[in-house]
Amino acid sequence: MTEKGSAPAARAVLQQCLQARLQVKPAEDHAEAQFVQIDRGTVIYICFFKGATDDILPKMASTLLNLRLCESDSGKMVSVLELPGSLLIVPQATLGGKAKGRAMQYHNNVGKEDGLRLYSAFVSLCEKELTAVSAEVTVKHGTYGNRQVLKLDTNGPYTHVMEF
Amino acid sequence: MTEKGSAPAARAVLQQCLQARLQVKPAEDHAEAQFVQIDRGTVIYICFFKGATDDILPKMASTLLNLRLCESDSGKMVSVLELPGSLLIVPQATLGGKAKGRAMQYHNNVGKEDGLRLYSAFVSLCEKELTAVSAEVTVKHGTYGNRQVLKLDTNGPYTHVMEF
C-alpha cells in the first residue's frame, strides 16, 4: 500500500493462477459469449482514481511485473517476468469502493474516458514488457466497462494489494 | 479503505462467486486432499496486522456481511445476509505485504498465535450471523497457515478491499 499519505492514483489486486478465464464479450441473440484465457501466471485487477495520469503507468507496470510474487517450480519466489508467466489484466472499478453505511460509493474513481485510456495504455506497457521476455507467455485482458465474468484456478491465490 | 490515517488492524478482500472451492488439507501419502466448497456467495480473504485485538471483530463481521456487494436475481445490490449467500473465509497473510524493492515483506502481520485466534473468532462470528438468517447457506473456511488452494467461478468477482 502507498506510504505517502496522499490519495493513491491507482489500486491493484494481484492473484496467482494456474489458469484463468475471462469473458470479453457477453452472449448475444445469435452469438455465443467470447472469452480469453491464460495458463500459469498472474491476474491483475486494476482501478484508477481521479487525478491519475499516464505518468504513473511505466512505474506501475514495471513494479507489478517485477515483484517476486510467483512461486517457481523449485519453490523460489520469482517475478511473473522471471517465471515467465502470463498476465490477465482485469478492469475492476469496484476496487475504488468506499463504504458509506451499507452501500459502496465509487466517487473517487476516474471518469470513463480517462479510465479507458489509462487501462489500455497500461495493458500495452505490460504486453511490451512481457513479450520482450518470452514468446511462450501472453497478456490477455478484459473489456473495459463490461462485467468481468471470471473463472480462476489457483495453487494458492497469494492475494496482494498494491497502490500507486 | 480506512480513513483514520492510523495503521489498519485488518485488511479484507471480498469477491463474489457462483462457486468456490478451497483446499483445507493437502494430500498425504495415503490420503487425498480435502476441500470445502460453497455455491453462490462471497469469498472473504482476511489478514490481521500487529496490534489487532478481538474488539474489532464484531464490527468487522457485521460490516462485511451487511455491505451491499451481492447482486440479487433481480439485479438489485444486496448484502450476503440478504441474498442470502454462503461465505468462504480464506486466511490470506499475503494481504499484509509491502514491497521493499522487488521483494514483499510481511513485517506488519500479526503473530501466528494471535492470528489464528483472531481468525477463528472471526469465522465464528460470521457463522453466527449467517446461520441466524438462513439454514440454506453456509460458512466454510480455510485452515490457518496452510496454502490456500482455491478455485473460483464468478459472474463478475466485483473485488473490494476493506480495512478496519
Side-chain angles (χ1 to χ4, degrees):
Chain A
M1 313 290 286
T2 179
E3 298 289 308
K4 289 171 279 182
S6 60
R11 183 175 294 150
V13 167
L14 294 98
Q15 295 188 311
Q16 305 309 309
C17 71
L18 298 174
Q19 193 165 76
R21 191 183 83 150
L22 182 70
Q23 185 178 283
V24 288
K25 204 173 171 198
E28 285 173 15
D29 273 356
H30 299 287
E32 290 189 1
Q34 288 175 25
F35 296 88
V36 292
Q37 182 170 318
I38 63 164
D39 291 320
R40 191 175 177 189
T42 301
V43 180
I44 302 181
Y45 308 83
I46 189 95
C47 174
F48 293 98
F49 298 115
K50 272 178 188 153
T53 59
D54 294 73
D55 304 353
I56 61 165
L57 299 177
K59 197 197 157 193
M60 265 181 73
S62 166
T63 300
L64 295 178
L65 271 53
N66 283 291
L67 274 174
R68 296 195 193 102
L69 299 180
C70 309
E71 194 181 18
S72 72
D73 290 332
S74 66
K76 201 183 149 193
M77 297 311 295
V78 298
S79 73
V80 70
L81 291 178
E82 288 167 331
L83 192 57
S86 291
L87 281 183
L88 178 63
I89 305 174
V90 183
Q92 191 84 137
T94 50
L95 285 180
K98 284 188 182 187
K100 181 166 185 186
R102 297 177 53 214
M104 295 303 291
Q105 295 186 331
Y106 304 93
H107 298 324
N108 285 332
N109 283 23
V110 74
K112 211 169 173 177
E113 212 170 297
D114 285 339
L116 174 56
R117 192 194 73 247
L118 290 162
Y119 174 70
S120 304
F122 175 73
V123 168
S124 297
L125 282 171
C126 291
E127 278 169 346
K128 219 166 140 185
E129 293 224 28
L130 201 65
T131 51
V133 166
S134 166
E136 284 162 45
V137 291
T138 176
V139 177
K140 302 286 185 184
H141 61 91
T143 311
Y144 194 86
N146 265 12
R147 175 189 284 264
Q148 304 300 321
V149 176
L150 176 76
K151 212 169 185 165
L152 187 68
D153 192 5
T154 82
N155 193 24
Y158 208 66
T159 314
H160 285 89
V161 182
M162 292 288 295
E163 290 184 345
F164 295 91
Chain B
M1 311 291 287
T2 181
E3 298 289 307
K4 288 171 281 181
S6 61
R11 183 174 293 149
V13 167
L14 294 97
Q15 293 188 313
Q16 305 310 310
C17 71
L18 298 174
Q19 193 165 75
R21 191 181 83 150
L22 183 69
Q23 185 178 285
V24 289
K25 204 174 172 198
E28 287 173 14
D29 274 357
H30 298 288
E32 290 189 1
Q34 287 174 26
F35 296 87
V36 291
Q37 183 171 316
I38 63 165
D39 292 320
R40 190 173 177 191
T42 301
V43 179
I44 303 180
Y45 308 83
I46 189 96
C47 174
F48 293 98
F49 297 115
K50 272 178 187 152
T53 59
D54 295 72
D55 304 353
I56 62 165
L57 300 177
K59 197 197 158 192
M60 268 182 71
S62 165
T63 300
L64 295 177
L65 271 53
N66 283 291
L67 274 174
R68 297 197 193 97
L69 299 180
C70 309
E71 193 181 19
S72 72
D73 290 331
S74 66
K76 201 182 147 194
M77 297 310 293
V78 299
S79 72
V80 70
L81 291 178
E82 289 166 332
L83 193 57
S86 290
L87 280 183
L88 178 63
I89 306 173
V90 183
Q92 191 83 137
T94 50
L95 286 180
K98 284 188 182 185
K100 181 167 185 184
R102 296 177 54 212
M104 294 303 291
Q105 296 186 330
Y106 304 92
H107 297 324
N108 285 332
N109 283 21
V110 73
K112 210 169 175 179
E113 213 170 296
D114 284 338
L116 175 56
R117 193 194 71 245
L118 291 162
Y119 174 70
S120 304
F122 176 73
V123 168
S124 297
L125 283 171
C126 291
E127 279 170 345
K128 219 166 140 185
E129 293 224 27
L130 201 66
T131 51
V133 166
S134 166
E136 284 161 45
V137 291
T138 176
V139 177
K140 302 286 185 185
H141 61 92
T143 310
Y144 194 86
N146 266 13
R147 175 188 284 264
Q148 305 299 320
V149 176
L150 176 76
K151 212 169 186 165
L152 187 68
D153 192 4
T154 82
N155 192 25
Y158 207 66
T159 313
H160 284 90
V161 181
M162 292 289 295
E163 289 184 345
F164 297 90

